[in-house]
Amino acid sequence: MLLQGKKALIFGIANEKSIAWAIARAFHEQGAELAVTYATETLEKRVRPLAESVQAAAVLPCNVTSDDDIRHVFTELAKVWDGVDIIIHSVAFANKEELKGTIVGTSREGFATAMDISVYSFLGIMNQALPMMQGRAASALTLSYYGAVKVFPNYNVMGVAKAALEASVRYLAEAVGPDGIRINAISAGPIRTLAASGVNGFSQILHNVEERAPLRRTITQEDVARSAVYLCSDLASGVTGEIHYVDGGFNVTGL
Ligand code: NAD
Ligand code: 0WE
């Protein structure tokens, strides 16, 4: 029961394959109380039953492009919880057209969308969350990808966004460290989820990991969730500003 008594707010559940859903289940198993958000009305139908199966204290709409939506989440949450111990940010989006070909041709609008939803949203959420996190051994966790650091075909503007997200983790960690609040990221290896569906050559990406990663296998949502439990528990009380790879070791290989 590593998360007994902790209250966790989770952004980024779309369906049962979402990394955020595996994190929610693992947190529930470890004794955390949960609240979850969903991006659209269509997703509410999928998310609400999942949330109910882990007795979520609140299931709230939140399109992260809207400051009003983000504010609303925390005004509603304050009605049921006196504080928040854990924020999970598992949200990313770029327009499909930006995820093919090269980064050449990226539109101003496509860049802004990717940065708004995949990067600013973490800062926007933390702006509202921090008042409810004060005086607790609180932490936040976001999800990144190795495309932040190295060039992968088609990842394009998302690579730029993940680089900015990882820098945001470091700046946030420094800003809120004096309050005892920790900020980290998990850089996950490729996993078949909604966000990976329709990505050209995704099977090849998974195959490369199976051949090259030290563990010689792809990772699962549950692999990520177990590391998330550690990073958000008091076991990681001295860890902040960190990009923690859960990728079967892929990032250490040189060939
Ligand atoms: P997913 O599609 O299940 O999750 C992405 C989530 O982003 C969805 O729940 C979606 O509703 C949400 N979202 C998109 N636009 C939004 C908006 N405007 N407002 C609110 N929510 C919005 O896919 P996933 O693979 O679980 O992705 C979760 C995170 O993990 C993302 O940050 C992704 O970049 C990261 N990641 C994924 C992989 C992978 O291979 N699947 C690898 C490394 C990192
Ligand atoms: O971060 C991600 C997913 C990012 C993502 C994926 C999509 C596909 C559908 C963001 N926005 C969208 N928008 C859509 O319309 N990953 C790490 C998974 C991923 O996505 C890729 C990858 C990998 C790996 C895209 C291109 C190349 C590799």
Side-chain angles (χ1 to χ4, degrees):
M1 295 301 255
L2 288 168
L3 301 175
Q4 187 79 61
K6 290 206 188 275
K7 295 178 165 70
L9 171 61
I10 302 184
F11 295 81
I13 304 175
N15 59 35
E16 56 291 329
K17 286 186 167 181
S18 294
I19 294 170
W21 173 238
I23 293 174
R25 274 182 290 143
F27 279 21
H28 178 65
E29 271 178 37
Q30 295 295 328
E33 281 179 66
L34 305 179
V36 312
T37 71
Y38 55 87
T40 65
E41 249 175 64
T42 317
L43 285 177
E44 179 180 8
K45 296 179 187 67
R46 286 200 169 273
V47 174
R48 198 168 280 281
L50 296 175
E52 280 167 6
S53 74
V54 291
Q55 290 94 48
V59 187
L60 301 164
C62 185
N63 179 334
V64 297
T65 63
S66 160
D67 287 336
D68 283 345
D69 276 19
I70 296 174
R71 253 193 307 271
H72 181 254
V73 167
F74 290 93
T75 51
E76 288 303 304
L77 205 62
K79 295 176 185 171
V80 292
W81 285 354
D82 54 359
V84 177
D85 301 288
I86 300 170
I87 298 284
I88 301 297
H89 175 270
S90 186
V91 173
F93 183 81
N95 294 321
K96 245 191 165 75
E97 312 84 74
E98 308 292 358
L99 299 174
K100 46 188 149 196
T102 73
I103 200 163
V104 176
T106 302
S107 69
R108 189 183 298 276
E109 203 190 311
F111 182 89
T113 295
M115 293 296 280
D116 187 23
I117 298 180
S118 315
V119 188
Y120 178 76
S121 65
F122 188 43
L123 298 176
I125 287 165
M126 292 313 296
N127 287 345
Q128 297 298 318
L130 285 164
M132 286 188 78
M133 298 173 87
Q134 297 301 324
R136 319 169 71 101
S139 70
L141 181 70
T142 187
L143 273 296
S144 191
Y145 180 58
Y146 194 34
V149 179
K150 298 289 181 184
V151 176
F152 288 89
N154 303 315
Y155 201 60
N156 301 346
V157 74
M158 274 307 307
V160 176
K162 290 303 192 188
L165 181 68
E166 293 185 2
S168 303
V169 166
R170 292 185 283 272
Y171 275 88
L172 264 177
E174 163 58 26
V176 304
D179 302 321
I181 299 168
R182 300 181 300 105
I183 313 286
N184 293 295
I186 285 176
S187 183
I191 305 174
R192 259 191 213 288
T193 62
L194 187 61
S197 70
V199 169
N200 277 332
F202 200 77
S203 299
Q204 185 60 51
I205 295 168
L206 293 173
H207 186 67
N208 288 338
V209 172
E210 284 172 355
E211 289 211 314
R212 282 189 38 195
L215 291 182
R216 299 291 193 277
R217 65 169 179 87
T218 55
I219 58 138
T220 64
Q221 289 88 334
E222 289 70 30
D223 287 317
V224 175
R226 281 188 283 272
S227 293
V229 167
Y230 154 72
L231 283 170
C232 296
S233 78
D234 298 338
L235 286 181
S237 55
V239 180
T240 194
E242 191 79 345
I243 313 300
H244 181 71
Y245 282 83
V246 180
D247 67 343
F250 185 87
N251 77 95
V252 310
T253 64
L255 185 66

Short mmCIF file of all heavy atoms in Angstrom, two decimals, residues 141-172:
data_model
loop_
_atom_site.label_atom_id
_atom_site.label_comp_id
_atom_site.label_asym_id
_atom_site.label_seq_id
_atom_site.Cartn_x
_atom_site.Cartn_y
_atom_site.Cartn_z
N LEU A 141 3.64 13.98 -12.23
CA LEU A 141 4.34 13.13 -13.20
C LEU A 141 3.74 13.35 -14.57
O LEU A 141 2.52 13.35 -14.73
CB LEU A 141 4.16 11.66 -12.78
CG LEU A 141 4.84 10.61 -13.67
CD1 LEU A 141 6.36 10.66 -13.52
CD2 LEU A 141 4.32 9.21 -13.32
N THR A 142 4.62 13.53 -15.57
CA THR A 142 4.16 13.62 -16.96
C THR A 142 4.81 12.52 -17.78
O THR A 142 5.74 11.85 -17.31
CB THR A 142 4.43 15.03 -17.54
OG1 THR A 142 3.82 15.12 -18.84
CG2 THR A 142 5.91 15.33 -17.67
N LEU A 143 4.33 12.33 -19.00
CA LEU A 143 4.81 11.26 -19.88
C LEU A 143 5.54 11.85 -21.08
O LEU A 143 5.00 12.72 -21.76
CB LEU A 143 3.63 10.42 -20.38
CG LEU A 143 3.14 9.25 -19.52
CD1 LEU A 143 4.23 8.18 -19.39
CD2 LEU A 143 2.71 9.69 -18.13
N SER A 144 6.76 11.36 -21.30
CA SER A 144 7.54 11.83 -22.44
C SER A 144 7.96 10.65 -23.31
O SER A 144 7.56 9.50 -23.07
CB SER A 144 8.75 12.64 -21.96
OG SER A 144 9.35 13.31 -23.06
N TYR A 145 8.74 10.96 -24.34
CA TYR A 145 9.23 9.95 -25.29
C TYR A 145 10.64 10.36 -25.72
O TYR A 145 10.98 11.55 -25.76
CB TYR A 145 8.27 9.87 -26.50
CG TYR A 145 8.68 8.86 -27.55
CD1 TYR A 145 8.84 7.51 -27.24
CD2 TYR A 145 8.90 9.26 -28.87
CE1 TYR A 145 9.23 6.60 -28.20
CE2 TYR A 145 9.28 8.34 -29.84
CZ TYR A 145 9.44 7.01 -29.50
OH TYR A 145 9.82 6.10 -30.45
N TYR A 146 11.45 9.36 -26.05
CA TYR A 146 12.85 9.56 -26.43
C TYR A 146 13.01 10.47 -27.66
O TYR A 146 14.07 11.04 -27.88
CB TYR A 146 13.47 8.18 -26.68
CG TYR A 146 14.98 8.13 -26.75
CD1 TYR A 146 15.79 8.96 -25.98
CD2 TYR A 146 15.61 7.19 -27.58
CE1 TYR A 146 17.17 8.87 -26.03
CE2 TYR A 146 16.99 7.10 -27.65
CZ TYR A 146 17.77 7.94 -26.88
OH TYR A 146 19.13 7.84 -26.94
N GLY A 147 11.92 10.64 -28.41
CA GLY A 147 11.90 11.60 -29.53
C GLY A 147 12.16 13.03 -29.08
O GLY A 147 12.39 13.91 -29.92
N ALA A 148 12.14 13.28 -27.78
CA ALA A 148 12.54 14.59 -27.22
C ALA A 148 14.03 14.83 -27.41
O ALA A 148 14.48 15.98 -27.46
CB ALA A 148 12.20 14.65 -25.73
N VAL A 149 14.80 13.75 -27.46
CA VAL A 149 16.26 13.82 -27.40
C VAL A 149 16.91 13.42 -28.73
O VAL A 149 17.90 14.00 -29.14
CB VAL A 149 16.77 12.89 -26.26
CG1 VAL A 149 18.28 12.92 -26.15
CG2 VAL A 149 16.11 13.27 -24.92
N LYS A 150 16.35 12.41 -29.38
CA LYS A 150 16.87 11.89 -30.64
C LYS A 150 15.79 12.00 -31.71
O LYS A 150 14.60 12.01 -31.41
CB LYS A 150 17.28 10.41 -30.48
CG LYS A 150 18.40 10.18 -29.47
CD LYS A 150 19.74 10.68 -29.96
CE LYS A 150 20.84 10.40 -28.94
NZ LYS A 150 22.14 10.95 -29.34
N VAL A 151 16.24 12.03 -32.96
CA VAL A 151 15.31 12.18 -34.08
C VAL A 151 14.72 10.82 -34.47
O VAL A 151 15.46 9.88 -34.75
CB VAL A 151 16.03 12.80 -35.29
CG1 VAL A 151 15.11 12.88 -36.50
CG2 VAL A 151 16.59 14.17 -34.93
N PHE A 152 13.40 10.72 -34.47
CA PHE A 152 12.70 9.54 -34.96
C PHE A 152 11.83 9.94 -36.15
O PHE A 152 11.19 10.99 -36.11
CB PHE A 152 11.81 8.93 -33.86
CG PHE A 152 12.60 8.24 -32.78
CD1 PHE A 152 13.05 8.95 -31.68
CD2 PHE A 152 12.91 6.89 -32.88
CE1 PHE A 152 13.80 8.31 -30.70
CE2 PHE A 152 13.65 6.25 -31.90
CZ PHE A 152 14.10 6.97 -30.80
N PRO A 153 11.81 9.09 -37.21
CA PRO A 153 11.01 9.42 -38.38
C PRO A 153 9.56 9.73 -37.99
O PRO A 153 8.98 9.01 -37.16
CB PRO A 153 11.07 8.16 -39.25
CG PRO A 153 12.28 7.42 -38.78
CD PRO A 153 12.49 7.79 -37.35
N ASN A 154 9.01 10.78 -38.55
CA ASN A 154 7.59 11.17 -38.42
C ASN A 154 7.20 11.79 -37.07
O ASN A 154 6.11 12.33 -36.96
CB ASN A 154 6.64 9.98 -38.70
CG ASN A 154 6.87 9.37 -40.06
OD1 ASN A 154 7.00 10.10 -41.04
ND2 ASN A 154 6.94 8.06 -40.13
N TYR A 155 8.04 11.67 -36.05
CA TYR A 155 7.63 12.21 -34.73
C TYR A 155 7.65 13.75 -34.76
O TYR A 155 6.86 14.40 -34.10
CB TYR A 155 8.53 11.64 -33.61
CG TYR A 155 7.89 11.72 -32.24
CD1 TYR A 155 6.67 11.09 -31.96
CD2 TYR A 155 8.50 12.44 -31.20
CE1 TYR A 155 6.09 11.17 -30.70
CE2 TYR A 155 7.92 12.51 -29.94
CZ TYR A 155 6.72 11.88 -29.70
OH TYR A 155 6.14 11.96 -28.46
N ASN A 156 8.59 14.30 -35.52
CA ASN A 156 8.55 15.72 -35.93
C ASN A 156 8.24 16.70 -34.81
O ASN A 156 8.96 16.76 -33.81
CB ASN A 156 7.58 15.87 -37.10
CG ASN A 156 7.98 15.03 -38.30
OD1 ASN A 156 9.10 14.53 -38.35
ND2 ASN A 156 7.09 14.86 -39.24
N VAL A 157 7.14 17.45 -34.95
CA VAL A 157 6.83 18.52 -34.00
C VAL A 157 6.59 17.97 -32.58
O VAL A 157 6.80 18.67 -31.60
CB VAL A 157 5.64 19.38 -34.49
CG1 VAL A 157 4.31 18.64 -34.34
CG2 VAL A 157 5.60 20.72 -33.78
N MET A 158 6.18 16.70 -32.49
CA MET A 158 6.00 16.11 -31.16
C MET A 158 7.34 15.97 -30.44
O MET A 158 7.40 16.05 -29.21
CB MET A 158 5.31 14.73 -31.25
CG MET A 158 3.79 14.75 -31.28
SD MET A 158 3.03 15.70 -29.93
CE MET A 158 3.78 14.96 -28.50
N GLY A 159 8.41 15.74 -31.21
CA GLY A 159 9.74 15.67 -30.60
C GLY A 159 10.13 17.00 -29.99
O GLY A 159 10.67 17.07 -28.87
N VAL A 160 9.83 18.06 -30.72
CA VAL A 160 10.09 19.42 -30.23
C VAL A 160 9.25 19.69 -28.98
O VAL A 160 9.73 20.24 -27.98
CB VAL A 160 9.78 20.46 -31.34
CG1 VAL A 160 9.95 21.87 -30.82
CG2 VAL A 160 10.68 20.22 -32.54
N ALA A 161 7.99 19.25 -29.02
CA ALA A 161 7.09 19.45 -27.87
C ALA A 161 7.58 18.67 -26.65
O ALA A 161 7.59 19.19 -25.53
CB ALA A 161 5.67 19.04 -28.24
N LYS A 162 8.02 17.43 -26.86
CA LYS A 162 8.49 16.62 -25.72
C LYS A 162 9.78 17.20 -25.15
O LYS A 162 10.01 17.14 -23.93
CB LYS A 162 8.69 15.16 -26.13
CG LYS A 162 7.39 14.39 -26.42
CD LYS A 162 6.42 14.38 -25.26
CE LYS A 162 5.28 13.38 -25.47
NZ LYS A 162 4.22 13.49 -24.45
N ALA A 163 10.64 17.78 -26.01
CA ALA A 163 11.85 18.44 -25.49
C ALA A 163 11.45 19.61 -24.57
O ALA A 163 12.02 19.79 -23.49
CB ALA A 163 12.71 18.93 -26.65
N ALA A 164 10.45 20.37 -25.00
CA ALA A 164 9.96 21.49 -24.19
C ALA A 164 9.29 20.99 -22.91
O ALA A 164 9.41 21.61 -21.85
CB ALA A 164 9.00 22.35 -25.00
N LEU A 165 8.60 19.86 -23.02
CA LEU A 165 7.95 19.27 -21.83
C LEU A 165 9.01 18.85 -20.80
O LEU A 165 8.86 19.11 -19.60
CB LEU A 165 7.09 18.07 -22.25
CG LEU A 165 6.35 17.36 -21.12
CD1 LEU A 165 5.25 18.24 -20.54
CD2 LEU A 165 5.75 16.03 -21.61
N GLU A 166 10.09 18.22 -21.29
CA GLU A 166 11.14 17.77 -20.37
C GLU A 166 11.84 18.97 -19.72
O GLU A 166 12.18 18.93 -18.53
CB GLU A 166 12.13 16.84 -21.10
CG GLU A 166 11.45 15.53 -21.51
CD GLU A 166 12.39 14.49 -22.13
OE1 GLU A 166 13.61 14.75 -22.24
OE2 GLU A 166 11.87 13.42 -22.52
N ALA A 167 12.02 20.04 -20.46
CA ALA A 167 12.60 21.26 -19.88
C ALA A 167 11.63 21.85 -18.85
O ALA A 167 12.05 22.34 -17.79
CB ALA A 167 12.91 22.28 -20.97
N SER A 168 10.34 21.77 -19.15
CA SER A 168 9.33 22.27 -18.20
C SER A 168 9.38 21.49 -16.88
O SER A 168 9.18 22.08 -15.81
CB SER A 168 7.93 22.15 -18.80
OG SER A 168 7.85 22.85 -20.03
N VAL A 169 9.66 20.20 -16.97
CA VAL A 169 9.79 19.37 -15.75
C VAL A 169 10.92 19.93 -14.88
O VAL A 169 10.76 20.11 -13.66
CB VAL A 169 10.07 17.89 -16.12
CG1 VAL A 169 10.55 17.09 -14.91
CG2 VAL A 169 8.81 17.25 -16.71
N ARG A 170 12.05 20.27 -15.51
CA ARG A 170 13.20 20.78 -14.74
C ARG A 170 12.89 22.16 -14.15
O ARG A 170 13.20 22.42 -12.97
CB ARG A 170 14.44 20.83 -15.64
CG ARG A 170 14.94 19.43 -16.02
CD ARG A 170 16.24 19.50 -16.82
NE ARG A 170 16.04 19.88 -18.22
CZ ARG A 170 15.79 19.03 -19.22
NH1 ARG A 170 15.69 17.73 -18.98
NH2 ARG A 170 15.65 19.45 -20.46
N TYR A 171 12.29 23.04 -14.93
CA TYR A 171 11.98 24.39 -14.42
C TYR A 171 10.93 24.34 -13.31
O TYR A 171 11.04 25.04 -12.31
CB TYR A 171 11.55 25.32 -15.57
CG TYR A 171 12.76 25.93 -16.24
CD1 TYR A 171 13.39 25.28 -17.29
CD2 TYR A 171 13.30 27.13 -15.78
CE1 TYR A 171 14.53 25.81 -17.88
CE2 TYR A 171 14.43 27.67 -16.37
CZ TYR A 171 15.04 27.01 -17.42
OH TYR A 171 16.17 27.54 -17.99
N LEU A 172 9.92 23.49 -13.49
CA LEU A 172 8.89 23.35 -12.45
C LEU A 172 9.49 22.77 -11.18
O LEU A 172 9.16 23.21 -10.07
CB LEU A 172 7.78 22.42 -12.94
CG LEU A 172 6.52 23.02 -13.55
CD1 LEU A 172 5.60 21.89 -14.02
CD2 LEU A 172 5.78 23.93 -12.56
#
